[in-house]
Amino acid sequence: MVASATGPLGENLMTRAVSRTVLRTHRRPLCWFSDGWHGYAAILHRAYRQPQSRQGKTGRRKLVVPDTVSLTQTVKHRDEHGRLLSVAIRMARWEQARDPPGPCTWSDFMERCVIG
């Protein structure tokens, strides 16, 4: 574990934990894994976005997330009694579509499928 934050679960708590992790890892690219909470992608996007290189265009540069940062979410689907029906694993997308996913995300996903 690189960083943690305590408090009521919500966007402020997650933002603090992600900010601390980004600081402690010196903005190195990481593979992030989380539950299916919708706010993670936006928080990571704000933390890792960088100006896109200019390609002959004028004006403000677009802020994009590097291809080396990935977010894989595990979402559990339950019935009305709380019993687990299925588990979906999905890769969050930034502005640009990235296929195939980064190597660390894919190998970790495959290990969970093979071992789990």
Side-chain angles (χ1 to χ4, degrees):
M1 181 181 340
V2 178
S4 64
T6 58
L9 187 60
E11 189 166 350
N12 290 336
L13 179 69
M14 298 305 159
T15 302
R16 279 198 319 250
V18 168
S19 300
R20 289 179 185 170
T21 302
V22 170
L23 265 170
R24 290 180 181 174
T25 59
H26 304 286
R27 298 185 67 85
R28 286 189 201 114
L30 293 175
C31 298
W32 290 81
F33 299 92
S34 73
D35 59 2
W37 185 59
H38 67 282
Y40 287 118
I43 292 169
L44 290 173
H45 183 269
R46 282 193 304 269
Y48 282 101
R49 63 187 179 182
Q50 298 172 351
Q52 191 175 28
S53 60
R54 291 193 191 272
Q55 297 175 352
K57 297 181 180 179
T58 59
R60 177 182 273 175
R61 293 188 286 177
K62 185 177 178 181
L63 297 175
V64 296
V65 177
D67 285 339
T68 53
V69 177
S70 64
L71 170 62
T72 303
Q73 293 182 312
T74 303
V75 182
K76 295 178 182 175
H77 302 285
R78 300 181 183 272
D79 66 7
E80 62 274 0
H81 304 291
R83 285 178 269 188
L84 185 65
L85 296 174
S86 64
V87 176
I89 299 173
R90 66 178 184 224
M91 183 166 177
R93 301 284 180 178
W94 315 115
E95 281 109 7
Q96 70 276 16
R98 294 182 290 184
D99 286 321
C104 54
T105 302
W106 181 250
S107 64
D108 289 343
F109 170 76
M110 289 306 295
E111 287 170 14
R112 280 186 286 169
C113 288
V114 173
I115 295 170

